[in-house]
Amino acid sequence: MTPLSVSQSDRIEAPAAQIYAVLADYREGHPHVVPKPYFTGIDVEEGGVGAGTVIRVGMCLMGQRRTLRMKVAEPKPGRVLTESDLDSDMVTRFTLNPLSEGKATRLTITTEWTPKPGIAGVVERWLVPSLMRKIYAQELHLINDFCRA
């Protein structure tokens, strides 16, 4: 089946280094910027900051609860952070591009995965992208507020 990709971007009124520090900190920073009730918790299994961190993420989407185990990587430290699901091909990427001489940042959140086969996959392709864009828009707003506070 053809993979899906969902992205949402926004301007964050903070330097890239500040945003990256929040995103890479899975104990103190990142848990404050994930929208509830979609994200029901982040538990750190290994590490806690940046590459090598392993987390359990509780999610509730379309009435279904699930727990994801994700491993964090930093393909471009300070600029790109990824979370890869340990049980599927799903990868979420946070890409930061400085703006306004470094005073602001364009942050893009992208998730790529292969949908389930059959009818479940058709429903997933039809419903999940718009829901994920809504969730990511909320997350970007929370990140902006958190970094400005």
Side-chain angles (χ1 to χ4, degrees):
M1 185 167 278
T2 305
L4 271 178
S5 180
V6 175
S7 289
Q8 188 72 29
S9 296
D10 206 353
R11 178 186 175 106
I12 308 296
E13 298 300 326
Q18 180 185 359
I19 299 164
Y20 196 87
V22 170
L23 293 174
D25 181 354
Y26 288 87
R27 291 189 189 279
E28 301 297 326
H30 208 116
H32 292 285
V33 299
V34 293
K36 286 144 183 92
Y38 305 108
F39 291 90
T40 60
I42 296 176
D43 295 310
V44 175
E45 291 183 2
E46 295 176 30
V49 177
T53 296
V54 176
I55 56 173
R56 273 181 290 124
V57 180
M59 295 195 73
C60 184
L61 294 176
M62 299 176 1
Q64 299 227 3
R65 293 187 175 273
R66 68 187 280 207
T67 300
L68 305 172
R69 287 189 72 237
M70 311 289 281
K71 185 162 188 170
V72 177
E74 295 178 274
K76 294 183 181 176
R79 180 116 188 270
V80 177
L81 181 86
T82 62
E83 300 170 350
S84 298
D85 185 356
L86 294 173
D87 298 318
S88 75
D89 68 346
M90 183 175 67
V91 177
T92 297
R93 182 175 57 252
F94 299 86
T95 305
L96 295 88
N97 292 303
L99 303 170
S100 301
E101 298 176 6
K103 296 176 185 165
T105 305
R106 166 85 38 208
L107 175 58
T108 302
I109 306 172
T110 303
T111 298
E112 297 173 340
W113 78 101
T114 303
K116 297 173 185 136
I119 285 291
V122 171
V123 172
E124 194 173 348
R125 285 180 177 283
W126 187 57
L127 293 177
V128 173
S130 61
L131 176 60
M132 287 180 71
R133 280 190 282 279
K134 175 184 172 184
I135 293 168
Y136 290 161
Q138 289 178 15
E139 186 167 359
L140 290 161
H141 181 77
L142 288 169
I143 291 166
N144 193 45
D145 288 351
F146 188 81
C147 288
R148 293 176 72 192

